[in-house]
Amino acid sequence: GQEADWWRRAVVYQVYPRSFQDTDADGVGDIPGITRRLDHLDALGVDVVWLSPVYRSPQDDNGYDISDYEDIDPLFGSLADIDELIAGLHARGMRLVMDLVVNHTSDEHEWFTASRSSKDDPRRDWYIWRPARTVEGLEPGEPGTEPTNWGSAFSGPAWTWDEGSGEFYLHLFSVKQPDLNWENPQVRRAVYEMMGRWLDRGVDGFRMDVINLISKTYPLVDGPLRPGALYGSGFEAVANGPRIHEFLAEMNREVFASRPGHVMTVGEMPGVTRAQAALYTDPSRAEVDMVFQFEHVGLADGPHGKFDPRPVDRAALKANLAAWQEALAPQTDAQGAVVAERGWNSNYWDNHDQPRAVSRFGDDDPAWRALSAKTLASVLHLHRGTPYIYQGEELGQTNTVFTGIDSYRDLESVNHFHERVGVGDDPQAVVAAMAANSRDNARTPVQWDASEHAGFSTAAPWIDLAPNAEEVNAAAQVGVPGSVFEHHRALVSLRHTDDAVALGTFRLLDAADDASWVILREHVGAQGGREQVLLIASCSREGLALGEGSAMRERLAAEGLDLGRWAEAERVLTASLPAEQAGASGAGVPERLEGWDSVILRRR
Ligand code: TEU
């Protein structure tokens, strides 16, 4: 609907275009492919599509290095194709959120080619240039004369020497992604005008790439150097800089405030804290609607920490996500009714930068994969805030297999490999260490059916399919009761129809137990009616005893949740049964939940 808060009940589906659907037989997904698959998204029931970048780009970072914000890269199609996609989405009552990458551009953007052309070019100050540091025995521009000790998120230093103009330029990401200078009002103006033209074209919002990095803390000085790290952290030195709220409020005022409908905005914010997120998403501050935080996906250890895979500490994961729910919890009145929003969460398990959810947080053994994928989805979608479904997550797609460095495509992985081998690490050990968390796990093609190339393309895909495409694919799941897809469809529908799920308060119970996940949602209606929704999930193969006298029932009772009072509660959705059979399976809390099963109960 058009009500201002339509987005609070929305479920967002992320499309990573190069791996979604190819229609011109080049092995790379494209925009017409998305339009062709809109029925799939419609069947899932999602409201918004977040489309990763399709703008002109040298594809150094798969499109997150933009050389023209207002044209479409021929790899993905044309402006006419994006207009057709927008029309197709709108015709189905769905919306399009574009990926806005304005912390940096490509080094092939005309702004940068002008800026680097000379120190006196009018666009010189659109980027961040610094002279070499004077170091005894080193020529300016030589390694060791960089202006600060910062490292790029994609290995190597965050500064690259430009011989022509005799200075270094800053790039927190790849050499081909120079950071824009947001202190320059001309840069801000150019970005806002470009955003306005996309909204004029019918786009409904933006996902803002690393947007909390655009305000740097000046002067630029060395960052903290972790033990063993080759470089200092650039992120920590610049994230959440002194003018970030000023810039976001200005962007909101200049671009969104004047629009008739609500422009949906989500800021991707590596290193954001819960306290800061409450400021960024407080509706009264008019900055962004919600943020993507990284605490639960380990970025807090810094980008390279990600390649040292460690087992999931589920109790810590539960506590982390519950702390985010608390930090952005609404204000409620004495009866528990929500009276004002303080902030808003984005809830995700994975995206194009993270490994696959079921492999990382679930159990991708074939015997447990589907059930754990469904239970993970129930856990995610029972949190308060907007849930994000990453392409393939609705199918329970898993990580892939890397047989060697040639299996990898992502510059983050490839650069890391060369950096580690360069300092003497064993190549095969590095390839193995990257496998669990490489971004390429999420970038294998969507598995549409069991045909060659999984229905993704008629040509060999740009990156190998995951090995289980014949078993795990949409054709085997859409419309099939009990499938991971149908479970996601039921969860999306639940958010659309149930106020406790969409708008209710959140409470985590039995937090210390890492083999279960118990969430209570409560909503007090305008007429005073109270509704409660309870999720009990088993998060291991062992299962949970819940009957009278069970340790878990005792622990929950000690926290004030008497499962006896749920004996007649409606079973809304279980993971082990098709959605339509949940109610027929009986009422109330089952005696036990088998491994990775879960149940969503409702009582009024
Ligand atoms: O990601 C920013 C970001 O924090 C991640 O790159 C993170 O550092 C790393 O990937 C964790 O594994 C955004 C985009 O989502 C990502 O695809 C881009 O590579 C990056 O910005 C630069 O635009």
Side-chain angles (χ1 to χ4, degrees), residues 368 536-538 540-548 550 552-553 563 571 574 576 588-599:
W368 298 96
I536 305 176
S538 159
S540 77
R541 296 181 181 183
E542 281 63 50
L544 300 172
L546 296 169
E548 291 283 348
S550 66
M552 188 154 178
R553 186 174 286 235
L563 292 187
R571 288 181 186 171
T574 65
S576 54
V589 179
E591 279 298 298
R592 67 172 278 106
L593 280 173
E594 296 311 323
W596 283 107
D597 198 1
S598 55
V599 60

Side-chain angles (χ1 to χ4, degrees), residues 16 50 61 64-65 99 101 104 153-154 173 177 207 209-210 213 235 268-270 294 299 303 306-307 351-354 410-412 437 439 443:
Y16 191 68
W50 153 27
D61 183 18
Y64 281 89
D65 51 311
D99 211 315
V101 186
H104 47 270
F154 299 147
F173 294 94
Q177 292 172 297
R207 176 268 188 186
D209 191 65
V210 292
L213 303 184
F235 274 31
E268 187 216 22
M269 299 196 177
F294 284 70
L299 186 71
K306 69 176 289 180
F307 284 127
N351 55 41
H352 64 292
D353 292 334
Q354 301 297 334
D410 178 13
L411 84 168
E412 180 186 61
N437 288 342
R439 304 193 298 182
R443 300 177 179 190

Side-chain angles (χ1 to χ4, degrees), residues 374 476-487 576-581:
K374 289 190 274 185
Q477 294 189 38
V478 177
V480 176
S483 69
V484 178
F485 178 90
E486 290 302 326
H487 190 82
S576 54
L577 285 175
E580 51 280 352
Q581 292 177 23

Side-chain angles (χ1 to χ4, degrees), residues 1 3 6-12 41-48 92-95 381 386-387 389 488-503 602:
E3 72 278 9
W6 61 265
W7 56 277
R8 287 193 195 282
R9 295 194 91 116
V11 177
V12 182
L41 303 183
D42 216 356
L44 189 54
V46 295
D47 309 277
V48 179
R92 289 169 170 81
M94 299 159 82
R95 289 175 164 95
H381 288 250
T386 301
I389 300 173
H488 277 82
R489 185 210 300 255
L491 287 168
V492 172
S493 171
L494 188 61
R495 179 162 297 273
H496 290 159
T497 56
D498 188 289
D499 288 345
V501 171
L503 308 171
R602 174 166 49 204

